[in-house]
């Protein structure tokens, strides 16, 4: 069984920074695309950032461009989201997403989420 586990969320003041991590554990062949999504109260889940296996393709939501950076360490099966200059509107539960190749084929996985609260 493959699991995604996020960490690094918490309470931060506006203008502050946080770094989220997501570790994939279990038995799999390779982790293909990875990404971060978020869901604020009363809103739909939205894509924050996405990164391909070698990091050659990276996409960001317009609202986080220039403030957030996604990266990954394939040897550690981990994807990161560095969040700088955080704003109150960044408050949300952040979810890790990955497309994992297993012996039976590709499977899309989600973590349980980590809460980020930006408030003074």
């Amino acid at each position: 069984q493959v699991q995604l586990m996020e960490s690094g969320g918490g309470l931060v003041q506006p203008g502050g920074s946080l770094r989220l991590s997501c570790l994939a554990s279990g038995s799999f062949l390779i982790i293909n695309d990875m990404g971060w999504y978020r869901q604020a109260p009363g809103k739909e889940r939205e894509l924050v950032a996405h990164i391909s296996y070698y990091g050659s393709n990276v996409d960001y939501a317009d609202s986080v461009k220039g403030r957030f950076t996604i990266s990954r360490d394939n040897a550690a099966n981990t994807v990161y989201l560095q969040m700088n200059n955080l704003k109150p509107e960044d408050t949300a539960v952040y979810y890790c997403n990955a497309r994992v190749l297993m012996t039976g084929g590709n499977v899309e996985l989600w973590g349980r989420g980590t809460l980020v609260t930006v408030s003074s």
Side-chain angles (χ1 to χ4, degrees), residues 2-103:
V2 182
Q3 292 184 329
L4 301 178
M5 180 65 70
E6 303 98 336
S7 61
L11 173 64
V12 63
Q13 292 186 344
S17 297
L18 282 175
R19 188 192 196 206
L20 305 183
S21 300
C22 173
L23 170 67
S25 62
S27 179
F28 51 86
L29 298 175
I30 192 172
I31 304 173
N32 292 308
D33 297 349
M34 302 188 80
W36 289 94
Y37 289 71
R38 68 185 181 186
Q39 187 166 18
K43 295 188 177 181
E44 294 186 353
R45 190 174 298 188
E46 63 174 357
L47 174 68
V48 176
H50 165 271
I51 186 167
S52 59
Y53 179 78
Y54 289 110
S56 55
N57 292 321
V58 178
D59 297 305
Y60 296 96
D62 288 342
S63 59
V64 307
K65 284 181 180 177
R67 300 188 298 121
F68 290 11
T69 302
I70 189 171
S71 61
R72 63 187 291 173
D73 182 342
N74 292 330
N77 297 321
T78 301
V79 63
Y80 305 96
L81 185 68
Q82 177 66 43
M83 305 185 294
N84 297 328
N85 190 21
L86 282 160
K87 303 176 180 181
E89 51 264 42
D90 294 317
T91 295
V93 177
Y94 284 71
Y95 297 92
C96 178
N97 172 269
R99 189 162 56 90
V100 179
L101 178 61
M102 303 174 69
T103 54

